[in-house]
Amino acid sequence: MKTVNKYIYKELIAPFFFGVAAFTGIFIGTDLIFKLTEYYTEWGVNVITLIRLFFLSLPAIIVVTFPMASLLGTIMAYNRLSGDSEITAMRAGGISVIAIVMPALLMGLVTSGVTIAINEFLVPEANYQSEQIIYQFKHGEQRPETQYDLFLNPIDSQTHRPDYMLYARTFNADSGEMKNVVVQIFENGHPARVLEAQSAKWLTDGWHFYNGTVYFLDKSNRQPALEFSSYRSREDIHSPAQAGKLGKDIDEMNIRQLREKITLQEEQGRTAYEERVELHQRFAIPLASFIFALLAAPLGIKPQRSAGSATGFGISIIIIFIYYILMTVGDALGSKGSIAPWLGAWLQNIVIFLVGSIMLYRSARQ
């Protein structure tokens, strides 16, 4: 059995890497190369920078092409084995269909794990570096970290009323500074005081506000209580690192950072449907390698009149097209809250998994 498994693995590896090269080439030729050409012709970007952008774009492309390559490689490998009657010989020798397709499933699972790792450790940083480079040659300076119109409104989980409301005209997470700040403090769910300040800075002991006024509120009046040049807030206001996550692009976040952003948004009373869909997709899209292998193996072991690469490529394109239609629909419904975000992210995988399982079961019964 080990000899048979090694033989099937060898058959799977070559078409898998062929699929990686083919689909990566398609993405590069239909999208990336046009962007790089535009950067060169319209912005005069030098060749070294274009090469950097090219390689920074590859991790995100690989995350998409690995599942496609798993699908194509599995179909082509088992088509070849079936076309040469090797599948028939294996089954005649007492090897079950499950045992025959197991190498493809294991290889798909390993590919999924590698894809998750790439998506977690390489893609966010590559996207961040790429956006920094693009902003710099378009605007002639580094991309500023300043966020405009920051608004924080965390909701108490027990009373479902605001802890505080903070507005800042500008906010820089790196320097920990805010300008033109207004903070309304609540006590027992009711407005207690308002703080207005020209600026604020995060120090080791919390937020310090400068050049402003504190107003105490009651039911009958709103009067200045304290004017200050420096004021240390005793309220538990979000740190710059926490607040900065609310304005960061989710494509530049790893899973931990994305989870933190979801928590912060929900503390603000926001739904975070889109972010939850994205979080689940960080696992759902890489696991498509395993799901595709589950579907492709029973497709491939069926007797084929033509077992060439063109047939396998054509079948792969059709399945990928259906997969991405389902993914687009699920993404749209999940991001709007029409269905649960996890279902929106996993919809295409669930459908393909069910179809593949049924096909594998029928193949095993034959």
Side-chain angles (χ1 to χ4, degrees):
M1 179 64 86
K2 289 183 178 180
T3 302
V4 173
N5 286 343
K6 289 181 181 179
Y7 181 71
I8 295 175
Y9 281 126
K10 289 180 180 179
E11 291 294 320
L12 288 166
I13 290 173
F16 171 78
F17 283 107
F18 168 77
V20 172
F23 288 115
T24 301
I26 290 173
F27 276 98
I28 291 173
T30 59
D31 182 37
L32 180 57
I33 197 68
F34 290 102
K35 290 182 179 179
L36 297 178
T37 302
E38 178 187 351
Y39 298 154
Y40 179 77
T41 57
E42 294 191 14
W43 300 94
V45 180
N46 61 65
V47 176
I48 300 299
T49 301
L50 292 176
I51 293 174
R52 287 186 62 196
L53 287 172
F54 175 84
F55 283 105
L56 288 171
S57 301
L58 288 182
I61 292 175
I62 288 174
V63 168
V64 179
T65 58
F66 268 21
M68 297 180 181
S70 180
L71 173 65
L72 177 62
T74 304
I75 290 179
M76 289 179 63
Y78 283 97
N79 264 348
R80 212 283 301 165
L81 293 172
S82 178
D84 291 345
S85 300
E86 294 185 38
I87 296 293
T88 303
M90 291 178 189
R91 298 191 67 179
I95 303 176
S96 67
V97 170
I98 300 298
I100 293 172
V101 304
M102 190 57 67
L105 299 181
L106 292 176
M107 186 170 172
L109 197 59
V110 171
T111 304
S112 294
V114 172
T115 308
I116 290 173
I118 293 173
N119 207 22
E120 172 70 2
F121 298 109
L122 295 182
V123 173
E125 182 62 24
N127 288 342
Y128 175 78
Q129 294 293 338
S130 180
E131 288 301 317
Q132 292 285 91
I133 293 171
I134 292 171
Y135 188 95
Q136 187 165 13
F137 69 68
K138 283 186 176 181
H139 299 87
E141 60 182 7
Q142 289 188 343
R143 186 173 64 169
E145 299 298 332
T146 300
Q147 179 181 343
Y148 293 91
D149 297 319
L150 172 69
F151 182 75
L152 300 176
N153 183 27
I155 305 299
D156 188 283
S157 59
Q158 295 181 344
T159 65
H160 301 289
R161 293 186 175 186
D163 285 331
Y164 65 86
M165 290 191 297
L166 180 147
Y167 170 82
R169 179 68 184 92
T170 63
F171 165 69
N172 189 305
D174 284 350
S175 63
E177 294 179 334
M178 296 186 290
K179 302 291 185 182
N180 298 328
V181 188
V182 179
V183 184
Q184 182 167 330
I185 308 300
F186 290 77
E187 292 179 358
N188 299 320
H190 300 286
R193 56 191 179 277
V194 175
L195 182 152
E196 295 179 346
Q198 293 181 8
S199 63
K201 186 173 181 61
W202 177 264
L203 302 178
T204 55
D205 58 345
W207 284 105
H208 288 246
F209 297 85
Y210 302 99
N211 302 320
T213 306
V214 177
Y215 301 89
F216 289 121
L217 305 180
D218 58 36
K219 294 182 179 180
S220 59
N221 61 54
R222 176 184 182 276
Q223 297 179 350
L226 173 67
E227 292 186 0
F228 61 85
S229 59
S230 178
Y231 178 83
R232 158 74 169 91
S233 173
R234 303 299 175 184
E235 305 301 326
D236 187 18
I237 298 175
H238 285 29
S239 69
Q242 291 175 309
K245 291 182 177 66
L246 292 172
K248 192 174 182 180
D249 193 331
I250 58 178
D251 291 336
E252 300 172 5
M253 293 183 174
N254 58 32
I255 293 172
R256 177 185 58 80
Q257 293 169 334
L258 187 53
R259 282 176 173 162
E260 291 175 353
K261 180 171 183 176
I262 291 170
T263 300
L264 288 171
Q265 284 200 216
E266 291 179 342
E267 286 179 355
Q268 312 300 311
R270 306 176 194 174
T271 56
Y273 290 141
E274 183 179 354
E275 288 77 10
R276 284 198 171 275
V277 170
E278 174 66 23
L279 177 62
H280 283 284
Q281 283 182 342
R282 296 290 176 92
F283 298 96
I285 293 176
L287 280 172
S289 294
F290 173 76
I291 303 299
F292 280 157
L294 178 65
L295 177 65
L299 276 175
I301 64 177
K302 288 185 176 181
Q304 303 286 338
R305 291 184 178 181
S306 173
S309 59
T311 301
F313 197 82
I315 295 173
S316 299
I317 293 297
I318 294 172
I319 295 173
I320 291 167
F321 181 71
I322 294 172
Y323 181 90
Y324 279 98
I325 287 177
L326 292 172
M327 188 178 74
T328 301
V329 171
D331 191 338
L333 294 175
S335 296
K336 294 296 182 182
S338 301
I339 60 176
W342 71 265
L343 181 58
W346 289 93
L347 177 63
Q348 67 283 351
N349 283 19
I350 293 172
V351 173
I352 300 297
F353 177 81
L354 291 175
V355 173
S357 299
I358 292 171
M359 292 181 63
L360 182 59
Y361 174 78
R362 289 180 176 178
S363 296
R365 291 290 299 269
Q366 292 177 355

